[in-house]
């Protein structure tokens, strides 16, 4: 496994079932010593929606946080409305340490810089290989979020499951296999009029291939260790959001 650190990790807020983005902010900031610089920006409808170019965005607040209590008071009352993934951000929270952004929160995404993550080089885009790599090192229970948006309509395209052991196949069969019966599913294996009465997990994996855009698997274990597999990374990733060594002293 190749461990990387000087890069960004993005998590769509739709894939956080409780939208607990503030917990990820706390975890990320806790890896660094105070003070930290906090900016809260807003984009008007006429301004550039490009994330990364904030030159025309309005600064709603800009503060230096000197301790955890001050930061917690700020975070407690902060509201950033959630939007669907791949939308144009309206507001952005940016937190920096010594001029380097360490976390960015928009309406649809949480982005963290410097998070230690492992590339699962031999996973490819296979469900089985991904779970074989993730679960032996996980602390149960493990929350699994499946998103099949490239196949399903936006409504009800995200499904949340909990694993209490490594038998992920049984959980998938119970909770998501029925999605093959959805009206918008057009399988590459059989036509709508020729569907077998007993559909299998293999059928599901073929229909909901993770090579397709916006089909995701995201896992989160009891220690906030994330695993991700989607078409953006042909290899899976395990991100240690809450366990970063080498933080600022």
């Amino acid at each position: 496994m190749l461990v990387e650190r000087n890069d960004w990790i993005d998590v769509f807020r739709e894939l956080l079932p409780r939208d607990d983005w503030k917990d990820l902010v706390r975890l990320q900031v806790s890896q660094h010593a105070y003070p930290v610089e906090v900016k809260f920006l807003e984009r008007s409808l006429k301004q550039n929606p490009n994330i990364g170019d904030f030159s025309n965005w309005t600064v709603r607040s800009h503060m230096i946080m000197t301790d955890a209590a001050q930061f917690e008071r700020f975070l407690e009352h902060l509201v950033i409305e959630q939007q669907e993934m791949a939308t144009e951000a309206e507001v952005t929270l940016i937190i920096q340490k010594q001029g380097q952004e360490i976390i960015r929160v928009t309406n649809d995404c949480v982005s963290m810089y410097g998070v230690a993550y492992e590339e699962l080089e031999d996973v490819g885009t296979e469900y089985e290989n991904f779970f074989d790599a993730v679960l032996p090192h996980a602390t149960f229970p493990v929350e699994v979020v499946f998103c099949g948006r490239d196949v399903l309509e936006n409504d009800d395209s995200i499904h949340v499951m909990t694993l209490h052991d490594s038998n992920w196949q049984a959980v998938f069969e119970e909770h998501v296999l029925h999605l093959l019966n959805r009206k918008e599913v057009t399988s590459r294996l059989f036509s709508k009029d020729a569907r077998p009465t007993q559909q299998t997990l293999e059928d599901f994996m073929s229909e909901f291939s993770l090579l397709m855009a916006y089909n995701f698997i995201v896992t989160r274990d009891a220690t906030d260790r994330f695993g991700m597999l989607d078409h953006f990374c042909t290899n899976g990733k395990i991100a240690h959001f809450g366990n970063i060594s080498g933080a600022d002293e």
Side-chain angles (χ1 to χ4, degrees):
M1 295 182 183
L2 175 65
V3 178
E4 295 285 353
R5 193 177 301 273
N6 296 323
D7 205 348
W8 287 90
I9 288 285
D10 299 324
V11 177
F12 285 115
R13 287 172 58 182
E14 280 192 272
L15 301 182
L16 298 171
R18 295 170 297 279
D19 191 28
D20 44 1
W21 62 268
K22 291 184 180 180
D23 286 346
L24 297 187
V25 171
R26 292 183 182 100
L27 282 171
Q28 184 73 337
V29 172
S30 70
Q31 313 303 316
H32 299 269
Y34 287 90
V36 295
E37 183 180 5
V38 178
K39 295 180 181 179
F40 191 55
L41 309 176
E42 182 176 30
R43 177 183 68 87
S44 73
L45 295 178
K46 296 180 180 180
Q47 289 173 338
N48 187 353
N50 180 36
I51 296 296
D53 177 12
F54 298 104
S55 57
N56 293 321
W57 288 51
T58 301
V59 179
R60 289 177 53 179
S61 60
H62 183 189
M63 296 164 285
I64 302 297
M65 299 291 179
T66 58
D67 58 52
Q70 180 188 15
F71 180 70
E72 184 60 34
R73 288 193 298 270
F74 167 79
L75 195 62
E76 181 182 359
H77 300 288
L78 184 62
V79 176
I80 302 178
E81 296 292 342
Q82 181 184 333
Q83 296 175 349
E84 292 181 355
M85 62 182 71
T87 58
E88 294 181 354
E90 296 176 355
V91 296
T92 300
L93 172 69
I94 296 175
I95 300 175
Q96 296 178 312
K97 176 67 179 180
Q98 296 178 337
Q100 169 64 58
E101 290 186 29
I102 58 175
I103 190 162
R104 181 188 297 164
V105 181
T106 65
N107 301 96
D108 71 332
C109 190
V110 180
S111 301
M112 285 153 283
Y113 181 81
V115 172
Y117 68 89
E118 302 169 17
E119 290 277 6
L120 307 179
E121 295 178 325
D122 298 326
V123 169
T125 53
E126 299 297 327
Y127 291 81
E128 296 97 330
N129 294 345
F130 174 70
F131 283 112
D132 286 346
V134 169
L135 295 183
H137 308 286
T139 301
F140 291 94
V142 176
E143 188 174 72
V144 178
V145 180
F146 164 73
C147 178
R149 182 154 297 177
D150 195 61
V151 179
L152 302 175
E153 296 173 357
N154 281 5
D155 292 343
D156 196 31
S157 63
I158 296 175
H159 297 263
V160 183
M161 299 158 277
T162 301
L163 304 181
H164 295 283
D165 55 43
S166 60
N167 189 9
W168 64 270
Q169 296 94 333
V171 176
F172 266 51
E173 288 174 352
E174 179 180 357
H175 291 280
V176 295
L177 189 60
H178 68 89
L179 296 176
L180 285 171
N181 297 319
R182 289 277 294 268
K183 59 178 174 27
E184 65 266 41
V185 172
T186 55
S187 177
R188 291 171 296 281
L189 296 178
F190 37 78
S191 69
K192 289 184 177 181
D193 297 329
R195 290 178 176 173
T197 54
Q198 277 300 112
Q199 295 171 349
T200 67
L201 197 56
E202 183 178 352
D203 296 335
F204 176 86
M205 294 175 184
S206 177
E207 185 65 54
F208 292 95
S209 169
L210 297 179
L211 281 172
M212 295 186 289
Y214 301 113
N215 285 0
F216 294 87
I217 287 289
V218 176
T219 62
R220 182 180 186 179
D221 79 356
T223 65
D224 286 313
R225 190 169 185 258
F226 280 70
M228 289 170 277
L229 183 63
D230 63 20
H231 84 291
F232 294 115
C233 53
T234 55
N235 302 317
K237 292 181 180 179
I238 296 179
H240 304 267
F241 287 4
N243 182 25
I244 308 174
S245 60
D248 297 319
E249 299 297 336

